[in-house]
Amino acid sequence: MTDPSPLPDAGEIMTVVHEAVGGIELEPAEKREIWRFTQRELPYLWSQRTSYFILGSYRDPYIRRLRAVQNELTKQLGAYPFIMGDLLELPTDRLNTFDIMFSLLATYSDYIVGVFEKESGGEAPELGEIDDPPYFDKSYVFPRDYAWVTDENLDSPQHVIQAALEIAFTDDLSADEVQANVESLVDRAQESGLDIDEQGVWDVIDDRADEDEEPATYSWVHLNKFRKFELHERCFPWTTEDELRTAVDELPSPTPRPEWEERKDQ
């Protein structure tokens, strides 16, 4: 890791903290712990390296996908990808420490990367934080099994695979009915001109069955938030971990500096 750079303006940092705690008065010991966190962690976000704040579930097996994203980004020269759970904690009993840490890290990171596989857990409120200013312009989402589906929407392999997974994991269908429905689905997609291989669809279904992982499901609120990112070309659905690793290439590279930073300086 490169040597950290000096901290940004202390007043600016404390403004972020006070907004995170709702403006309450901080005790001296709390200020010391917060300043210890900023002195330890923020300089790496303020350096010449490009930082990627990775969000998602820390539970197994989901954490493995966060590590996969982190590992892919680490391969890029000049990138500093990190997960909040790896950083120094704020040992305060009174304060909402998650909000403080999240606000500081999200404010000073170059990019925010959210990996989603379910609608529950800590990643749900994180999604609600990043889909609006001040974080939206530098945030990207990677939802598993997501597709914005309408009645006539089977215009991408991701749509077909999502529909096939839903068929395969429907409890009240027999094996023969699953086979017939998936074959019919792929046939319709191919007839509409979509380049998709039926065996590839079955491979995904078999892999998910072997892992005993049902398709990810999301609330209507989650789907709408993903759609917002999709309309801004910052939503990258995935089904397998290999697809997720490949999708990481869609993120902005470590250079040049991010557009949101340039706008802030104007």
Side-chain angles (χ1 to χ4, degrees):
M1 184 176 294
T2 58
D3 291 335
S5 298
L7 285 171
D9 179 73
E12 180 183 297
I13 292 174
M14 292 312 296
T15 296
V16 174
V17 172
H18 281 294
E19 289 178 354
V21 299
I24 66 171
E25 186 69 23
L26 299 176
E27 298 174 355
E30 294 168 341
K31 291 181 180 179
R32 287 195 297 270
E33 292 297 341
I34 292 171
W35 197 243
R36 177 169 168 260
F37 174 83
T38 60
Q39 289 179 313
R40 168 74 178 272
E41 305 298 350
L42 290 196
Y44 297 112
L45 310 187
W46 207 253
S47 69
Q48 291 304 307
R49 304 179 73 190
T50 300
S51 54
Y52 299 84
F53 183 13
I54 303 172
L55 311 178
S57 176
Y58 294 169
R59 290 185 293 171
D60 190 62
Y62 311 113
I63 185 63
R64 298 204 304 266
R65 261 76 83 172
L66 301 192
R67 295 299 186 198
V69 171
Q70 186 180 31
N71 291 339
E72 290 301 311
L73 286 169
T74 300
K75 297 175 183 178
Q76 301 189 44
L77 183 64
Y80 172 52
F82 69 94
I83 296 170
M84 185 165 69
D86 293 335
L87 306 185
L88 181 72
E89 293 187 12
L90 283 175
T92 63
D93 296 328
R94 185 175 76 104
L95 299 178
N96 48 322
T97 55
F98 169 84
D99 290 337
I100 297 171
M101 295 172 64
F102 180 90
S103 296
L104 287 169
L105 297 171
T107 297
Y108 294 110
S109 294
D110 294 318
Y111 300 107
I112 302 172
V113 182
V115 182
F116 301 95
E117 299 189 49
K118 52 190 177 68
E119 62 183 14
S120 60
E123 61 272 31
E126 289 174 345
L127 177 61
E129 291 285 349
I130 66 174
D131 79 317
D132 284 315
Y135 309 128
F136 177 72
D137 284 349
K138 57 179 174 180
S139 296
Y140 295 76
V141 296
F142 292 77
R144 189 174 197 180
D145 300 334
Y146 162 77
W148 184 254
V149 179
T150 65
D151 290 341
E152 299 179 354
N153 190 357
L154 281 179
D155 58 1
S156 76
Q158 185 64 39
H159 287 96
V160 177
I161 290 173
Q162 184 202 31
L165 285 169
E166 291 175 356
I167 292 169
F169 283 87
T170 300
D171 292 335
D172 57 356
L173 291 180
S174 67
D176 289 342
E177 289 171 328
V178 168
Q179 178 84 26
N181 279 278
V182 170
E183 289 177 352
S184 176
L185 173 71
V186 175
D187 286 344
R188 294 200 310 274
Q190 291 173 339
E191 289 171 1
S192 67
L194 190 63
D195 183 16
I196 187 167
D197 176 59
E198 182 179 330
Q199 185 56 51
V201 175
W202 284 112
D203 288 344
V204 173
I205 293 172
D206 291 341
D207 287 344
R208 295 295 281 274
D210 291 341
E211 297 171 0
D212 196 25
E213 291 183 346
E214 295 189 3
T217 58
Y218 304 102
S219 70
W220 184 237
V221 174
H222 284 74
L223 294 174
N224 274 265
K225 291 183 183 297
F226 294 152
R227 180 58 173 170
K228 180 179 178 180
F229 281 96
E230 187 174 22
L231 292 172
H232 287 265
E233 299 182 344
R234 285 187 273 118
C235 175
F236 303 98
W238 57 281
T239 302
T240 67
E241 185 174 311
D242 285 343
E243 290 177 352
L244 175 61
R245 289 178 180 274
T246 299
V248 171
D249 290 339
E250 300 296 333
L251 288 170
S253 64
T255 55
R257 303 300 296 166
E259 291 182 4
W260 70 266
E261 184 177 280
E262 295 173 1
R263 289 198 299 271
K264 182 179 177 182
D265 293 340
Q266 291 176 354

